[in-house]
Amino acid sequence: MKVFAAELIGTLTLVLFGCGSAVLAGDQVGQLGIAFAFGLAIVAMAYGIGHISGCHVNPAVSFGAFVAGRMDGKTMLTYWLAQFIGATIGAGILLLIASGKTGYDVAVNGLGQNGWGPGYLGEYGLMAAIIFEVVATFLFLVVILGSTNLAAPTPMAGLSIGLTLTAIHIVGIQVTGVSVNPARSFGPALFAGGPAMSQLWLFLLAPLVGAGLAGMKARFGLLEKDPS
């Protein structure tokens, strides 16, 4: 239950702070500010709940750990459940806050949902969205699995992971809004509806592909230090 609660709270925080920065303060902080909000949320949770659950707060991270042999299937499903519930609650809280502003309409202003194509941010196409999400998640998991390796300086893991997520957002916000996290995409899409729900499949599948590739890399020892 402690692990379940930690993952739920961590994912809730990521969605509330990350997506909240876009919805509530996007005009003030810009793309760079939004990127740092996502990254700093991960840094904060890494040190806040990392000692309890490892601070996955992302089904793709849990899947990568499973493929790498660091987690069994039953535990992974427990993490997934907590993460999707946390993301949904976080998005719900954000909607309640955003709705307190006169003129806010989730159908018009959105809830920080992911997407692609005409009318969405940089209007990048489907193939660009797929490539970005797979590659970005792969690189994100390489950093996570490498930073949490026993041979790595683990006290710095939270910082390296958070800064990597920040960099990914700086590069990719205009492409897809950046998912690399199926739960982060699910919560806002559930309330935003419309295109966010019809395009959700990509943000459920592409991060898992990227995470799986990174997990295989770790499983075969390619993220391990060679013996001296």
Side-chain angles (χ1 to χ4, degrees):
M1 287 304 298
K2 288 182 179 180
V3 168
F4 186 92
E7 285 297 305
L8 188 153
I9 293 170
T11 314
L12 181 161
T13 302
L14 177 67
V15 171
L16 181 59
F17 285 3
C19 296
S21 68
V23 176
L24 305 177
D27 291 340
Q28 289 73 39
V29 302
Q31 182 169 316
L32 187 61
I34 295 168
F36 270 100
F38 275 100
L40 291 174
I42 286 293
V43 172
M45 286 297 101
Y47 295 110
I49 65 169
H51 63 290
I52 301 173
S53 68
C55 187
H56 290 195
V57 299
N58 181 341
V61 173
S62 300
F63 182 66
F66 168 72
V67 174
R70 300 187 186 180
M71 172 179 282
D72 61 65
K74 182 179 179 180
T75 303
M76 180 186 73
L77 293 177
T78 301
Y79 272 59
W80 280 11
L81 182 61
Q83 291 155 0
F84 278 105
I85 292 175
T88 302
I89 295 173
I93 293 172
L94 176 57
L95 178 59
L96 288 174
I97 296 170
S99 298
K101 181 177 181 179
T102 302
Y104 173 81
D105 183 346
V106 66
V108 176
N109 304 106
L111 204 63
Q113 66 268 21
N114 298 113
W116 74 85
Y120 186 86
L121 296 178
E123 300 191 335
Y124 285 81
L126 173 60
M127 188 55 63
I130 292 173
I131 293 171
F132 174 78
E133 289 294 331
V134 171
V135 173
T137 310
F138 170 78
L139 295 175
F140 190 36
L141 265 291
V142 166
V143 172
I144 292 172
L145 295 172
S147 297
T148 55
N149 187 282
L150 293 177
T154 51
M156 299 298 292
L159 186 59
S160 66
I161 293 167
L163 288 176
T164 300
L165 187 61
T166 299
I168 288 172
H169 277 79
I170 291 172
V171 173
I173 283 179
Q174 289 297 314
V175 183
T176 63
V178 181
S179 171
V180 301
N181 182 337
R184 170 263 181 272
S185 298
F186 177 80
L190 192 63
F191 293 99
M197 282 300 292
S198 65
Q199 295 182 343
L200 181 60
W201 64 270
L202 188 152
F203 304 108
L204 296 178
L205 296 178
L208 295 182
V209 173
L213 292 172
M216 290 299 293
K217 182 179 175 69
R219 191 178 190 92
F220 289 114
L222 297 178
L223 294 180
E224 302 287 340
K225 181 181 179 181
D226 289 333
S228 56

